[in-house]
Amino acid sequence: MIGVDWGTTSFRAFRMARDGTIRDRRSGPRGILNVPDNRFADTLREEIGPWLATGEDHVLLSGMIGSRQGWAEAAYLHCPAAVSDLAASLLRIPEIARQVLIVPGVDDHHAHMPDVMRGEEVQIFGGLLWLGARGGTFVLPGTHSKWAHVDDGRIRSFRTYMTGEIYAACRKGTILGRLMTEDGGDPEAFAVGVRDGSRSGGPGALLHRLFGVRTAGLFGRLEPAGLADYLSGLLIGAEISEAGNGGEGTVWLIGAEALTARYQAAARELGIDARAVEPDSIARGYAAIARSAGLIEAA
Amino acid sequence: MIGVDWGTTSFRAFRMARDGTIRDRRSGPRGILNVPDNRFADTLREEIGPWLATGEDHVLLSGMIGSRQGWAEAAYLHCPAAVSDLAASLLRIPEIARQVLIVPGVDDHHAHMPDVMRGEEVQIFGGLLWLGARGGTFVLPGTHSKWAHVDDGRIRSFRTYMTGEIYAACRKGTILGRLMTEDGGDPEAFAVGVRDGSRSGGPGALLHRLFGVRTAGLFGRLEPAGLADYLSGLLIGAEISEAGNGGEGTVWLIGAEALTARYQAAARELGIDARAVEPDSIARGYAAIARSAGLIEAA
């Protein structure tokens, strides 16, 4: 079978055995924003045509491909959501002879503000299976960081933090970016940022601390070369101290190596035990959904 | 005498009587970033040449003109700072026959992170004189909002919040901006934002709440036309609830009318009494500094 993590700006496909063992993979920049005229069927054939030609019947798609801007809109499932809930709500793409199915996203209406994910749910269940666990706290750092609490095999609740996107917007669109030379490689400036970002304060304290990036440069508290890492630490420190369980239990990181290493370093600074999940465990998530939906037999 | 509020992107000049009564004024876009090749002397002559020709001798400049990127760098004075401290530290521009003097900025090293202002100190003292008071809390909303505490005629402490610049960066550089149609005129969406922004939480909560702007649109909690005002309210609500004295005493707003009205509405929503200072009270600040420096006689 085949699983495709089809996001806004990227396309990652996995061809795998029934147990989720990866046999082949490919990835590229053809996220939904980079598919002209909604030519999703053609794009899929162009990307994984050779796999389909050899007889793989079932294709699961997850991510923004199931959003209003994607191929077809798959309604969000509400928390708590298990693998079997996702499997029971797969959305069939009718225009395609193959069994191409979209995995729905998940929403959380328990919190004061509703929250949503698309694609991360498969990564979380993949991580859970890799761990061999029924629960845990999973973090998917990035443009929109997700913190999800799983127990008894269900995503109970989760929250999104716009950490990565605010970092990018500060670099590109504010005076802070103009003070920065280049992306760091200054772990000490990052650590100072994490500590400053995690200090107690209210939500508005972040608006004040961001100005501190400027004064840290102005008064020589940090070298210009360290300011980008300091800003990154300030935001990630604020995120982790807000979301991080007060340091209870292990936090499982799912993501690209450089970014998970950065979150791991920040968590360590705050006394939180954070460990990385195997990077491609998402494949286990696709296999589990396919098994639960009866698309493939149990391994 | 003449006072010039010479900022990064704007130039505001006042010609005034000894008591600070404004006789004439002009303003334009020739902030220090818009003066090519550091031609500050020429720019000043071009802007207020006719006033100088009629015999005004003393020109006080405040704002970013006194920064490292300006005409000449005037070192920051430390808090607490009074009018007499500013008057004692005026920086003479030597290349000019006229008495052109730069008012130094003020810094605050009491807080964990150092903070700075340039130009706002004159506005604050102007507001204080307009009030006829010796103390109070003054707020200068904007790109970099300043909250200053004054007592016994001295700026004791202050903090900067990057509220306006983060709003602009979110609109220009994040997914939130792409969801927004235009600047609002939706006071109810603004009020909802203020209430959400002021809810209890840590510094990282803001990173989560910003994502709530997206879901508020996604689930129809707000109309697309209200999202810009909601975002503005979220940030201003976070700022005021962090900085706003816990609602004790009156907060005095100094700034352009539309912006002070927005802060006043937000403060009202949070049970804080906020009132606007007369917009051009900065002129009284220049006059007080000039009197204290012996440049002009007491009125």
Side-chain angles (χ1 to χ4, degrees):
Chain A
M1 64 158 297
I2 294 164
V4 181
D5 180 21
W6 203 337
T8 305
T9 57
S10 69
F11 178 101
R12 281 200 306 162
F14 301 91
R15 187 183 181 192
M16 61 201 106
R18 273 175 292 177
D19 64 351
T21 310
I22 297 168
R23 288 180 178 164
D24 204 354
R25 77 185 75 204
R26 53 180 291 132
S27 65
R30 295 172 85 180
I32 65 165
L33 286 185
N34 302 326
V35 172
D37 305 324
N38 293 342
R39 293 176 60 255
F40 298 114
D42 293 341
T43 303
L44 190 65
R45 270 186 223 104
E46 285 157 26
E47 289 285 335
I48 60 167
W51 299 353
L52 295 169
T54 60
E56 303 284 1
D57 266 343
H58 303 295
V59 183
L60 291 185
L61 309 180
S62 64
M64 292 303 281
I65 191 69
S67 72
R68 219 166 288 173
Q69 293 76 40
W71 197 343
E73 188 176 0
Y76 291 106
L77 292 187
H78 302 319
C79 277
V83 163
S84 56
D85 299 316
L86 297 178
S89 301
L90 297 175
L91 177 70
R92 174 93 187 253
I93 305 271
E95 60 191 280
I96 293 266
R98 302 273 177 172
Q99 184 97 308
V100 176
L101 300 151
I102 295 182
V103 181
V106 177
D107 64 23
D108 179 356
H109 282 270
H110 294 95
H112 172 67
M113 289 174 185
D115 212 323
V116 293
M117 60 167 67
R118 279 202 189 273
E120 291 88 353
E121 66 290 338
V122 183
Q123 299 188 61
I124 290 165
F125 286 122
L128 195 68
L129 288 160
W130 174 78
L131 272 181
R134 298 283 296 163
T137 298
F138 291 86
V139 183
L140 296 96
T143 309
H144 299 165
S145 271
K146 307 281 181 190
W147 287 71
H149 299 285
V150 181
D151 73 75
D152 195 25
R154 289 157 197 279
I155 299 173
R156 288 278 165 192
S157 65
F158 65 92
R159 293 210 171 194
T160 303
Y161 295 80
M162 282 188 66
T163 311
E165 198 167 16
I166 294 300
Y167 173 80
C170 282
R171 291 219 48 175
K172 253 190 283 183
T174 75
I175 193 178
L176 305 184
R178 292 197 291 281
L179 303 171
M180 290 169 189
T181 47
E182 51 201 299
D183 278 309
D186 185 338
E188 183 46 37
F190 178 74
V192 174
V194 169
R195 292 194 296 271
D196 283 352
S198 68
R199 283 173 201 278
S200 64
L206 190 63
L207 296 169
H208 169 59
R209 289 173 190 175
L210 286 171
F211 192 70
V213 179
R214 173 163 156 69
T215 54
L218 206 55
F219 291 105
R221 188 175 172 227
L222 292 168
E223 295 298 315
L227 290 179
D229 273 325
Y230 177 75
L231 171 62
S232 169
L234 201 61
L235 293 169
I236 292 174
E239 175 193 332
I240 295 182
S241 62
E242 182 76 16
N245 278 350
E248 300 238 340
T250 296
V251 163
W252 294 98
L253 297 164
I254 305 179
E257 199 177 329
L259 194 57
T260 56
R262 188 167 271 263
Y263 270 67
Q264 211 165 3
R268 196 181 308 120
E269 196 65 38
L270 301 176
I272 294 172
D273 180 40
R275 299 181 207 177
V277 164
E278 184 216 35
D280 288 336
S281 53
I282 187 173
R284 294 168 194 264
Y286 289 120
I289 294 166
R291 277 196 303 276
S292 176
L295 302 177
I296 55 175
E297 289 162 33
Chain B
M1 64 159 298
I2 295 164
V4 180
D5 181 21
W6 203 337
T8 306
T9 57
S10 71
F11 178 101
R12 281 200 307 161
F14 302 90
R15 187 183 180 192
M16 61 201 107
R18 274 174 293 176
D19 65 352
T21 310
I22 296 167
R23 290 181 177 164
D24 204 353
R25 78 186 74 205
R26 52 181 291 134
S27 64
R30 294 172 87 180
I32 64 165
L33 286 185
N34 303 325
V35 172
D37 306 324
N38 293 341
R39 292 177 60 255
F40 298 114
D42 293 341
T43 302
L44 190 65
R45 271 185 224 105
E46 286 157 26
E47 289 285 335
I48 60 167
W51 299 354
L52 295 170
T54 60
E56 303 284 1
D57 266 343
H58 303 295
V59 184
L60 291 185
L61 310 179
S62 64
M64 291 303 280
I65 192 69
S67 71
R68 216 166 291 175
Q69 292 77 40
W71 196 345
E73 187 175 1
Y76 293 106
L77 292 187
H78 303 319
C79 277
V83 163
S84 56
D85 299 317
L86 296 177
S89 301
L90 297 175
L91 178 70
R92 174 92 187 254
I93 305 271
E95 59 191 281
I96 293 268
R98 302 273 176 175
Q99 185 97 308
V100 176
L101 300 152
I102 295 182
V103 181
V106 177
D107 64 23
D108 180 356
H109 282 270
H110 294 95
H112 171 65
M113 288 175 187
D115 212 323
V116 292
M117 59 167 67
R118 277 202 189 275
E120 291 88 352
E121 65 291 338
V122 184
Q123 299 188 61
I124 290 165
F125 286 122
L128 195 68
L129 288 160
W130 174 78
L131 273 180
R134 297 282 296 162
T137 298
F138 292 85
V139 184
L140 297 96
T143 309
H144 298 164
S145 272
K146 307 279 181 191
W147 287 71
H149 299 286
V150 181
D151 73 74
D152 195 23
R154 289 157 197 278
I155 300 172
R156 289 276 166 193
S157 65
F158 65 92
R159 292 210 169 192
T160 304
Y161 295 80
M162 282 187 65
T163 311
E165 198 167 17
I166 294 299
Y167 172 80
C170 282
R171 291 220 47 175
K172 253 190 282 183
T174 74
I175 193 176
L176 305 184
R178 292 198 290 280
L179 303 170
M180 290 168 190
T181 47
E182 51 201 298
D183 278 309
D186 186 339
E188 184 46 38
F190 179 73
V192 174
V194 169
R195 290 194 296 270
D196 283 352
S198 68
R199 282 174 201 278
S200 63
L206 190 63
L207 296 169
H208 169 59
R209 289 173 190 175
L210 287 170
F211 191 72
V213 179
R214 173 163 155 69
T215 55
L218 206 55
F219 291 105
R221 187 174 172 226
L222 292 168
E223 295 297 317
L227 290 179
D229 273 324
Y230 176 75
L231 171 62
S232 169
L234 200 61
L235 293 170
I236 292 174
E239 175 192 331
I240 295 181
S241 62
E242 182 75 16
N245 278 351
E248 300 238 340
T250 297
V251 163
W252 294 97
L253 297 165
I254 304 178
E257 198 177 329
L259 194 57
T260 56
R262 187 166 272 263
Y263 270 67
Q264 211 165 4
R268 197 181 309 119
E269 196 66 37
L270 301 177
I272 294 171
D273 180 39
R275 300 183 206 175
V277 164
E278 184 215 34
D280 288 335
S281 52
I282 186 173
R284 295 167 194 264
Y286 289 120
I289 294 166
R291 276 196 303 276
S292 175
L295 303 176
I296 55 174
E297 288 162 35

